[in-house]
């Protein structure tokens, strides 16, 4: 499996803090650094199928099973920030998670 997970990603989580004037400030902080991953850009066929379900999904990232990963997080890979659109667990043995991601950033 080590050869399969040849990339390294950072998982980012949103942290909301209250400023002195009563407003909220959102920051993205590293939740888990240096997670081994397989990063695969989607082919045209996969992209079309994924777009129908999840919006514009541009890549699939597989990581070893890691509890707590949410679709509200972001991924930093190769100096590019990706939004996680879906977290798909391994249905059989909790060996890995598949993250469907895109590069379109939103405020969420």
């Amino acid at each position: 499996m080590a050869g399969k997970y040849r990339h390294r990603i950072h998982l980012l989580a949103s942290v909301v803090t209250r400023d002195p004037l009563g407003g909220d400030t959102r920051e993205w902080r590293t939740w888990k650094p240096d997670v081994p991953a397989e990063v695969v850009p989607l082919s045209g066929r996969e992209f079309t199928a994924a777009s129908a379900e999840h919006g514009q999904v541009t890549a699939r990232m597989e990581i070893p099973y890691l509890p707590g990963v949410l679709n509200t997080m972001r991924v930093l890979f190769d100096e590019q920030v990706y939004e996680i659109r879906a977290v798909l667990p391994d249905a059989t043995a909790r060996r890995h998670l598949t993250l469907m991601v895109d590069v379109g950033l939103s405020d969420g």
Side-chain angles (χ1 to χ4, degrees), residues 2-49:
K4 179 178 183 176
Y5 297 130
R6 64 186 179 278
H7 304 107
R8 292 291 180 266
I9 65 172
H10 300 280
L11 293 170
L12 311 174
S14 173
V15 178
V16 178
T17 55
R18 185 156 299 249
D19 64 33
L21 300 175
D24 291 337
T25 304
R26 181 183 303 252
E27 291 182 81
W28 290 93
R29 295 189 186 155
T30 301
W31 181 72
K32 192 66 93 171
D34 291 324
V35 176
E38 176 188 34
V39 179
V40 180
L42 295 181
S43 69
R45 184 180 184 131
E46 289 172 315
F47 179 83
T48 302

Side-chain angles (χ1 to χ4, degrees), residues 2-3 12-13 19 23 30 38 46-47 52 54 63 68 74-75 80 86 97 103-105 108:
L12 311 174
D19 64 33
T30 301
E38 176 188 34
E46 289 172 315
F47 179 83
H54 303 290
I63 62 173
R74 290 180 177 175
V75 172
Q80 179 71 51
L97 295 174
V103 290
L105 295 182

